[in-house]
Amino acid sequence: LWKDIRVRKAVSCYGVDRALIVQTALRGLAKPWVSFAPGGAVDALDLTAECPYDPERAKKLLAEAGYGPGKPLKFTMTTNNSDPAHIDVAQALKTQFAKIGVEMEIQIVDYATWNRAWVRQYKLEITLQNTLSSLSVNSNSHTIYSKSGTDYYHVKDPKLDALFESWRSTIDPRRQLEASHQIQRYILENAYYGTVAGFPFLQATRADVKGFKYLNKLMNDFGEVWLDR
């Protein structure tokens, strides 16, 4: 099912109306986002414009892959009940996918069951999650780098592995940023990781706190922080 790039692109890219999901399921509190690195990461590359909502294009890709009115694409999205937003977004996706001829069922389980089925047992067809906080694209690379032992996305792409190794082989910030942007573009081009939106995070400091970096994620970097007292 997911080995066909046309299916992945139809479902994760062109078949998702991110702006509508943000305004409805996410109450306008998020921002449409497409990229492996979340907004706020030091190397985040906003690729949202590369995935415009285009249901006709999505249907065309599915037809090329052998799916259509007589043979609809069917799968089950399993998510957990730790956040009501998961259920709201899943329902919105189900409605949007129906418009491109995709039949998606929703299964809601408790967090422990979901985590075990996804991370350890690799049983889920497709899921919905809140991405972990990331300082850089490397922070969550274990989920997709095939040699990590915890690559629960099961991409298994030697070229992607090489790109991550290129990032890790240098401490030059410029070269790391270059490699990071290559990684993010490559992941999108191959539709390995679908993103819907990025959530805002609030951080505040006193006036005498200097050098604090706002990362727009639930993560703090105190590497250059000092107190002006």
Short mmCIF file of all heavy atoms in Angstrom, two decimals, residues 91-129:
data_model
loop_
_atom_site.label_atom_id
_atom_site.label_comp_id
_atom_site.label_asym_id
_atom_site.label_seq_id
_atom_site.Cartn_x
_atom_site.Cartn_y
_atom_site.Cartn_z
N GLN A 91 -10.85 13.01 12.27
CA GLN A 91 -12.18 13.13 11.66
C GLN A 91 -12.13 14.05 10.44
O GLN A 91 -12.76 13.78 9.41
CB GLN A 91 -13.18 13.66 12.68
CG GLN A 91 -13.51 12.70 13.82
CD GLN A 91 -14.42 11.56 13.38
OE1 GLN A 91 -14.83 11.49 12.23
NE2 GLN A 91 -14.72 10.66 14.30
N ALA A 92 -11.38 15.15 10.56
CA ALA A 92 -11.25 16.08 9.43
C ALA A 92 -10.56 15.39 8.25
O ALA A 92 -10.97 15.56 7.09
CB ALA A 92 -10.47 17.31 9.87
N LEU A 93 -9.52 14.62 8.53
CA LEU A 93 -8.81 13.91 7.46
C LEU A 93 -9.71 12.87 6.80
O LEU A 93 -9.69 12.70 5.58
CB LEU A 93 -7.55 13.23 8.03
CG LEU A 93 -6.40 14.17 8.41
CD1 LEU A 93 -5.32 13.41 9.16
CD2 LEU A 93 -5.81 14.83 7.16
N LYS A 94 -10.50 12.18 7.60
CA LYS A 94 -11.43 11.19 7.05
C LYS A 94 -12.38 11.83 6.04
O LYS A 94 -12.60 11.30 4.95
CB LYS A 94 -12.24 10.55 8.20
CG LYS A 94 -13.28 9.51 7.76
CD LYS A 94 -14.06 9.01 8.97
CE LYS A 94 -15.20 8.10 8.54
NZ LYS A 94 -14.74 6.78 8.09
N THR A 95 -12.90 13.01 6.39
CA THR A 95 -13.81 13.74 5.50
C THR A 95 -13.10 14.19 4.23
O THR A 95 -13.63 14.06 3.12
CB THR A 95 -14.40 14.97 6.23
OG1 THR A 95 -15.11 14.53 7.39
CG2 THR A 95 -15.33 15.74 5.32
N GLN A 96 -11.88 14.70 4.39
CA GLN A 96 -11.13 15.17 3.22
C GLN A 96 -10.72 14.01 2.32
O GLN A 96 -10.77 14.12 1.09
CB GLN A 96 -9.91 15.97 3.68
CG GLN A 96 -10.28 17.29 4.32
CD GLN A 96 -9.07 18.11 4.75
OE1 GLN A 96 -7.94 17.75 4.48
NE2 GLN A 96 -9.32 19.22 5.43
N PHE A 97 -10.32 12.92 2.91
CA PHE A 97 -9.91 11.76 2.10
C PHE A 97 -11.09 11.18 1.32
O PHE A 97 -10.93 10.67 0.21
CB PHE A 97 -9.29 10.68 2.99
CG PHE A 97 -7.94 11.05 3.54
CD1 PHE A 97 -7.45 10.43 4.68
CD2 PHE A 97 -7.16 12.02 2.94
CE1 PHE A 97 -6.19 10.76 5.19
CE2 PHE A 97 -5.90 12.36 3.43
CZ PHE A 97 -5.43 11.72 4.57
N ALA A 98 -12.28 11.26 1.91
CA ALA A 98 -13.47 10.75 1.21
C ALA A 98 -13.68 11.51 -0.10
O ALA A 98 -14.17 10.95 -1.08
CB ALA A 98 -14.70 10.89 2.10
N LYS A 99 -13.27 12.78 -0.14
CA LYS A 99 -13.43 13.59 -1.35
C LYS A 99 -12.51 13.16 -2.48
O LYS A 99 -12.73 13.51 -3.64
CB LYS A 99 -13.19 15.07 -1.02
CG LYS A 99 -14.24 15.65 -0.08
CD LYS A 99 -13.92 17.09 0.27
CE LYS A 99 -14.98 17.66 1.21
NZ LYS A 99 -14.69 19.06 1.61
N ILE A 100 -11.46 12.40 -2.16
CA ILE A 100 -10.57 11.89 -3.21
C ILE A 100 -10.76 10.38 -3.40
O ILE A 100 -9.94 9.71 -4.01
CB ILE A 100 -9.08 12.22 -2.92
CG1 ILE A 100 -8.62 11.59 -1.60
CG2 ILE A 100 -8.87 13.73 -2.88
CD1 ILE A 100 -7.11 11.72 -1.36
N GLY A 101 -11.86 9.88 -2.85
CA GLY A 101 -12.20 8.48 -3.05
C GLY A 101 -11.51 7.51 -2.12
O GLY A 101 -11.46 6.30 -2.38
N VAL A 102 -10.99 8.02 -1.01
CA VAL A 102 -10.29 7.16 -0.04
C VAL A 102 -11.20 6.88 1.15
O VAL A 102 -11.83 7.79 1.69
CB VAL A 102 -8.99 7.85 0.44
CG1 VAL A 102 -8.37 7.06 1.60
CG2 VAL A 102 -8.00 7.97 -0.70
N GLU A 103 -11.27 5.61 1.54
CA GLU A 103 -12.09 5.21 2.68
C GLU A 103 -11.18 4.95 3.87
O GLU A 103 -10.44 3.96 3.89
CB GLU A 103 -12.90 3.96 2.34
CG GLU A 103 -13.89 4.17 1.19
CD GLU A 103 -14.66 2.92 0.83
OE1 GLU A 103 -14.58 1.92 1.60
OE2 GLU A 103 -15.33 2.91 -0.22
N MET A 104 -11.22 5.85 4.84
CA MET A 104 -10.38 5.72 6.03
C MET A 104 -11.23 5.48 7.27
O MET A 104 -12.14 6.24 7.56
CB MET A 104 -9.53 6.96 6.23
CG MET A 104 -8.54 6.82 7.39
SD MET A 104 -7.59 8.34 7.71
CE MET A 104 -8.70 9.21 8.82
N GLU A 105 -10.93 4.42 7.98
CA GLU A 105 -11.57 4.16 9.26
C GLU A 105 -10.69 4.74 10.36
O GLU A 105 -9.47 4.88 10.18
CB GLU A 105 -11.75 2.65 9.48
CG GLU A 105 -12.70 2.00 8.50
CD GLU A 105 -14.10 2.62 8.54
OE1 GLU A 105 -14.59 2.89 9.67
OE2 GLU A 105 -14.68 2.85 7.48
N ILE A 106 -11.28 5.08 11.49
CA ILE A 106 -10.54 5.64 12.61
C ILE A 106 -10.63 4.71 13.81
O ILE A 106 -11.72 4.28 14.19
CB ILE A 106 -11.09 7.03 13.00
CG1 ILE A 106 -10.98 8.00 11.83
CG2 ILE A 106 -10.34 7.58 14.21
CD1 ILE A 106 -11.67 9.34 12.08
N GLN A 107 -9.49 4.40 14.38
CA GLN A 107 -9.44 3.58 15.59
C GLN A 107 -8.78 4.39 16.69
O GLN A 107 -7.65 4.87 16.54
CB GLN A 107 -8.65 2.29 15.34
CG GLN A 107 -8.59 1.38 16.56
CD GLN A 107 -7.78 0.12 16.30
OE1 GLN A 107 -6.77 0.17 15.61
NE2 GLN A 107 -8.24 -1.01 16.82
N ILE A 108 -9.48 4.56 17.82
CA ILE A 108 -8.96 5.32 18.95
C ILE A 108 -8.61 4.35 20.07
O ILE A 108 -9.45 3.56 20.50
CB ILE A 108 -9.99 6.34 19.48
CG1 ILE A 108 -10.58 7.18 18.33
CG2 ILE A 108 -9.35 7.23 20.54
CD1 ILE A 108 -9.59 8.06 17.63
N VAL A 109 -7.36 4.41 20.52
CA VAL A 109 -6.92 3.53 21.62
C VAL A 109 -6.23 4.36 22.69
O VAL A 109 -5.93 5.54 22.49
CB VAL A 109 -5.96 2.44 21.09
CG1 VAL A 109 -6.66 1.54 20.08
CG2 VAL A 109 -4.71 3.06 20.47
N ASP A 110 -5.95 3.76 23.84
CA ASP A 110 -5.22 4.48 24.88
C ASP A 110 -3.77 4.64 24.46
O ASP A 110 -3.27 3.95 23.58
CB ASP A 110 -5.32 3.74 26.22
CG ASP A 110 -4.66 2.37 26.17
OD1 ASP A 110 -3.44 2.29 26.39
OD2 ASP A 110 -5.37 1.39 25.87
N TYR A 111 -3.08 5.57 25.11
CA TYR A 111 -1.72 5.93 24.68
C TYR A 111 -0.76 4.75 24.75
O TYR A 111 0.04 4.54 23.83
CB TYR A 111 -1.18 7.07 25.54
CG TYR A 111 0.17 7.56 25.06
CD1 TYR A 111 0.27 8.54 24.08
CD2 TYR A 111 1.35 7.03 25.58
CE1 TYR A 111 1.49 8.98 23.61
CE2 TYR A 111 2.60 7.46 25.12
CZ TYR A 111 2.66 8.43 24.14
OH TYR A 111 3.88 8.83 23.67
N ALA A 112 -0.82 3.96 25.82
CA ALA A 112 0.10 2.84 25.98
C ALA A 112 -0.08 1.81 24.86
O ALA A 112 0.89 1.30 24.29
CB ALA A 112 -0.09 2.19 27.34
N THR A 113 -1.33 1.52 24.54
CA THR A 113 -1.62 0.56 23.46
C THR A 113 -1.13 1.09 22.12
O THR A 113 -0.51 0.37 21.33
CB THR A 113 -3.14 0.28 23.38
OG1 THR A 113 -3.57 -0.28 24.63
CG2 THR A 113 -3.47 -0.68 22.25
N TRP A 114 -1.40 2.37 21.87
CA TRP A 114 -0.96 3.00 20.62
C TRP A 114 0.56 3.00 20.49
O TRP A 114 1.11 2.62 19.46
CB TRP A 114 -1.49 4.44 20.58
CG TRP A 114 -0.92 5.29 19.50
CD1 TRP A 114 -1.29 5.32 18.19
CD2 TRP A 114 0.14 6.25 19.63
NE1 TRP A 114 -0.52 6.23 17.49
CE2 TRP A 114 0.36 6.81 18.35
CE3 TRP A 114 0.91 6.68 20.71
CZ2 TRP A 114 1.32 7.79 18.13
CZ3 TRP A 114 1.87 7.66 20.48
CH2 TRP A 114 2.07 8.20 19.20
N ASN A 115 1.24 3.40 21.56
CA ASN A 115 2.69 3.49 21.52
C ASN A 115 3.33 2.11 21.29
O ASN A 115 4.26 1.97 20.50
CB ASN A 115 3.20 4.07 22.84
CG ASN A 115 4.67 4.42 22.78
OD1 ASN A 115 5.11 5.28 22.03
ND2 ASN A 115 5.46 3.72 23.58
N ARG A 116 2.80 1.10 21.95
CA ARG A 116 3.33 -0.26 21.79
C ARG A 116 3.09 -0.77 20.36
O ARG A 116 3.99 -1.35 19.74
CB ARG A 116 2.68 -1.20 22.81
CG ARG A 116 3.20 -2.63 22.76
CD ARG A 116 2.70 -3.45 23.93
NE ARG A 116 1.25 -3.49 24.00
CZ ARG A 116 0.51 -2.86 24.91
NH1 ARG A 116 1.10 -2.10 25.83
NH2 ARG A 116 -0.80 -2.95 24.90
N ALA A 117 1.89 -0.54 19.84
CA ALA A 117 1.55 -1.04 18.50
C ALA A 117 2.36 -0.35 17.42
O ALA A 117 2.71 -0.96 16.40
CB ALA A 117 0.05 -0.84 18.24
N TRP A 118 2.69 0.91 17.64
CA TRP A 118 3.41 1.68 16.62
C TRP A 118 4.92 1.55 16.73
O TRP A 118 5.61 1.16 15.80
CB TRP A 118 3.01 3.16 16.73
CG TRP A 118 3.65 4.04 15.71
CD1 TRP A 118 3.92 3.73 14.40
CD2 TRP A 118 4.12 5.37 15.90
NE1 TRP A 118 4.52 4.79 13.77
CE2 TRP A 118 4.66 5.80 14.67
CE3 TRP A 118 4.13 6.24 16.99
CZ2 TRP A 118 5.21 7.07 14.51
CZ3 TRP A 118 4.67 7.51 16.82
CH2 TRP A 118 5.19 7.91 15.60
N VAL A 119 5.44 1.85 17.94
CA VAL A 119 6.89 1.91 18.12
C VAL A 119 7.54 0.54 18.24
O VAL A 119 8.65 0.32 17.77
CB VAL A 119 7.23 2.78 19.34
CG1 VAL A 119 8.74 2.80 19.60
CG2 VAL A 119 6.71 4.20 19.15
N ARG A 120 6.84 -0.42 18.85
CA ARG A 120 7.47 -1.72 19.12
C ARG A 120 6.97 -2.83 18.21
O ARG A 120 7.72 -3.71 17.81
CB ARG A 120 7.25 -2.10 20.58
CG ARG A 120 7.89 -1.12 21.56
CD ARG A 120 7.74 -1.56 22.99
NE ARG A 120 8.39 -2.84 23.23
CZ ARG A 120 8.32 -3.50 24.40
NH1 ARG A 120 7.63 -2.98 25.40
NH2 ARG A 120 8.94 -4.64 24.55
N GLN A 121 5.67 -2.83 17.90
CA GLN A 121 5.10 -3.94 17.14
C GLN A 121 4.93 -3.65 15.65
O GLN A 121 4.68 -4.56 14.87
CB GLN A 121 3.74 -4.33 17.74
CG GLN A 121 3.83 -4.78 19.19
CD GLN A 121 2.46 -5.00 19.83
OE1 GLN A 121 1.47 -4.40 19.43
NE2 GLN A 121 2.41 -5.86 20.84
N TYR A 122 5.03 -2.38 15.24
CA TYR A 122 4.92 -1.97 13.84
C TYR A 122 3.62 -2.47 13.19
O TYR A 122 3.61 -2.92 12.06
CB TYR A 122 6.12 -2.48 13.03
CG TYR A 122 7.45 -2.17 13.65
CD1 TYR A 122 8.29 -3.19 14.08
CD2 TYR A 122 7.87 -0.86 13.82
CE1 TYR A 122 9.53 -2.91 14.67
CE2 TYR A 122 9.10 -0.56 14.40
CZ TYR A 122 9.91 -1.59 14.83
OH TYR A 122 11.12 -1.30 15.39
N LYS A 123 2.52 -2.34 13.90
CA LYS A 123 1.25 -2.88 13.43
C LYS A 123 0.37 -1.87 12.70
O LYS A 123 -0.57 -2.25 12.00
CB LYS A 123 0.44 -3.44 14.62
CG LYS A 123 0.92 -4.78 15.15
CD LYS A 123 -0.02 -5.24 16.26
CE LYS A 123 0.33 -6.63 16.74
NZ LYS A 123 -0.59 -7.08 17.83
N LEU A 124 0.62 -0.59 12.89
CA LEU A 124 -0.31 0.42 12.40
C LEU A 124 -0.14 0.71 10.92
O LEU A 124 0.96 0.81 10.41
CB LEU A 124 -0.13 1.72 13.20
CG LEU A 124 -0.20 1.59 14.73
CD1 LEU A 124 -0.18 2.97 15.36
CD2 LEU A 124 -1.43 0.81 15.17
N GLU A 125 -1.27 0.86 10.22
CA GLU A 125 -1.25 1.23 8.80
C GLU A 125 -0.86 2.69 8.63
O GLU A 125 -0.05 3.05 7.77
CB GLU A 125 -2.62 0.99 8.17
CG GLU A 125 -2.99 -0.47 8.00
CD GLU A 125 -4.32 -0.61 7.30
OE1 GLU A 125 -5.36 -0.52 7.98
OE2 GLU A 125 -4.32 -0.79 6.07
N ILE A 126 -1.47 3.54 9.45
CA ILE A 126 -1.17 4.97 9.43
C ILE A 126 -1.58 5.51 10.80
O ILE A 126 -2.50 4.99 11.43
CB ILE A 126 -1.94 5.68 8.29
CG1 ILE A 126 -1.46 7.13 8.14
CG2 ILE A 126 -3.44 5.62 8.49
CD1 ILE A 126 -2.01 7.82 6.90
N THR A 127 -0.89 6.55 11.24
CA THR A 127 -1.21 7.09 12.56
C THR A 127 -1.11 8.60 12.54
O THR A 127 -0.73 9.21 11.54
CB THR A 127 -0.30 6.50 13.64
OG1 THR A 127 -0.77 6.88 14.94
CG2 THR A 127 1.15 6.97 13.48
N LEU A 128 -1.45 9.18 13.68
CA LEU A 128 -1.42 10.63 13.86
C LEU A 128 -0.73 10.89 15.18
O LEU A 128 -1.04 10.26 16.19
CB LEU A 128 -2.85 11.16 13.89
CG LEU A 128 -3.08 12.66 13.86
CD1 LEU A 128 -2.62 13.25 12.53
CD2 LEU A 128 -4.56 12.97 14.09
N GLN A 129 0.24 11.81 15.19
CA GLN A 129 0.98 12.07 16.41
C GLN A 129 1.38 13.54 16.50
O GLN A 129 1.36 14.27 15.52
CB GLN A 129 2.26 11.22 16.45
CG GLN A 129 3.22 11.61 15.34
CD GLN A 129 4.65 11.16 15.57
OE1 GLN A 129 5.30 10.71 14.65
NE2 GLN A 129 5.14 11.32 16.77
#
